[in-house]
Amino acid sequence: MKHKLSLERIGMRGSIILIMIGVILLSIGTVVQVASTQFPDRAAVCTATITGFHEAESSEIDIQSPTTLVSYQYQGVDYENVVLRQYEASWKQGDVLKIYVSVEEPTVIWTKTMRYRGAMIIFLSVPFLTIGIYKIVQFKRLKKIGDNESDTDTEEEIKYKRSSFIIPLAAGIPFTLVGLFFRAMENDSVLALVMIIMGGSAVIVGIISLINFINLKLRNK
């Protein structure tokens, strides 16, 4: 088979990109999760209504993202226009959110996504790192086979191409479904969109690899 490793060479570069994405996500997730440790462990669940928004502010040394103003009732006390340091483009005035209120300081509030967003990003980095490293190892094994067997397909190549579609599909389908569920349950469109894009991209890669695998099996019949 001529140019047997051409697709694998492309896959090698893609694997390096996957690892780079994984490292970036891991770094961002770690920073975000460390920042989230400011949230207290003891909290009460409340329902809040969005009453307005604060536009983003910036200076030479600091850039602040937009914030949301909410009103809620906790232990019989009304809290009006409390700052929630989260903003989603899909939110609008009058929307109802589930929030978590600090038992010790009721004006300290957050959503579930704010507390676990860093952990979610770290979790997202794992498939990228795992798949990237795994495919590089497989590529090196396949290259050794290609150096010795230039004209024949081998069982190792079939195993490699099988993993090329199984791994992306195994990672992409759950992430896409989780993103859709996250959007529906948590009303966090930004994070959900990130998950859907990454999961959908993996699914597309998996489908393309599946087609290549089927073609290889058909040629070997």
Side-chain angles (χ1 to χ4, degrees):
M1 186 180 80
K2 296 182 179 180
H3 306 298
K4 176 181 174 181
L5 295 177
S6 59
L7 290 176
E8 280 66 32
R9 289 193 181 96
I10 296 174
M12 181 71 166
R13 297 185 181 93
S15 298
I16 294 174
I17 293 175
L18 288 177
I19 292 175
M20 292 175 62
I21 294 175
V23 171
I24 293 173
L25 288 174
L26 181 62
S27 301
I28 294 174
T30 301
V31 172
V32 173
Q33 191 59 34
V34 169
S36 72
T37 57
Q38 62 182 302
F39 300 135
D41 292 328
R42 297 180 60 205
V45 180
C46 291
T47 299
T49 302
I50 295 178
T51 56
F53 303 94
H54 269 165
E55 296 296 331
E57 299 178 359
S58 63
S59 66
E60 294 182 357
I61 59 175
D62 185 31
I63 298 177
Q64 297 181 357
S65 60
T67 56
T68 305
L69 300 178
V70 299
S71 296
Y72 55 94
Q73 186 179 79
Y74 175 64
Q75 291 186 338
V77 178
D78 292 326
Y79 295 88
E80 302 290 338
N81 297 323
V82 179
V83 175
L84 173 65
R85 298 191 179 280
Q86 181 179 357
Y87 171 81
E88 298 298 333
S90 60
W91 288 357
K92 60 184 182 295
Q93 189 170 343
D95 282 352
V96 177
L97 306 175
K98 183 171 69 174
I99 64 170
Y100 296 80
V101 180
S102 169
V103 174
E104 290 80 11
E105 192 174 350
T107 56
V108 176
I109 61 174
W110 66 95
T111 65
K112 184 183 294 185
T113 57
M114 290 172 64
R115 181 161 195 176
Y116 299 108
R117 182 172 294 185
M120 183 65 70
I121 296 174
I122 292 173
F123 179 69
L124 287 173
S125 72
V126 174
F128 287 89
L129 294 171
T130 303
I131 294 171
I133 294 172
Y134 178 81
K135 285 178 70 68
I136 287 177
V137 172
Q138 289 292 90
F139 170 80
K140 291 182 177 180
R141 291 179 59 191
L142 185 61
K143 189 175 185 304
K144 291 180 180 179
I145 295 172
D147 292 338
N148 297 325
E149 303 178 23
S150 58
D151 296 322
T152 59
D153 291 316
T154 66
E155 183 62 27
E156 288 298 321
E157 183 181 9
I158 293 177
K159 290 180 180 179
Y160 176 77
K161 287 187 177 293
R162 184 184 296 118
S163 68
S164 295
F165 76 82
I166 290 177
I167 294 176
L169 290 177
I173 292 175
F175 272 82
T176 303
L177 294 176
V178 170
L180 293 171
F181 177 80
F182 205 79
R183 174 65 183 90
M185 299 300 294
E186 296 294 341
N187 198 23
D188 191 330
S189 58
V190 175
L191 183 57
L193 181 61
V194 170
M195 296 178 68
I196 292 171
I197 289 176
M198 288 192 289
S201 299
V203 170
I204 292 173
V205 171
I207 292 174
I208 294 174
S209 298
L210 176 59
I211 294 173
N212 290 333
F213 174 77
I214 294 173
N215 289 335
L216 175 63
K217 294 289 287 186
L218 292 175
R219 287 199 303 268
N220 289 339
K221 285 186 177 181

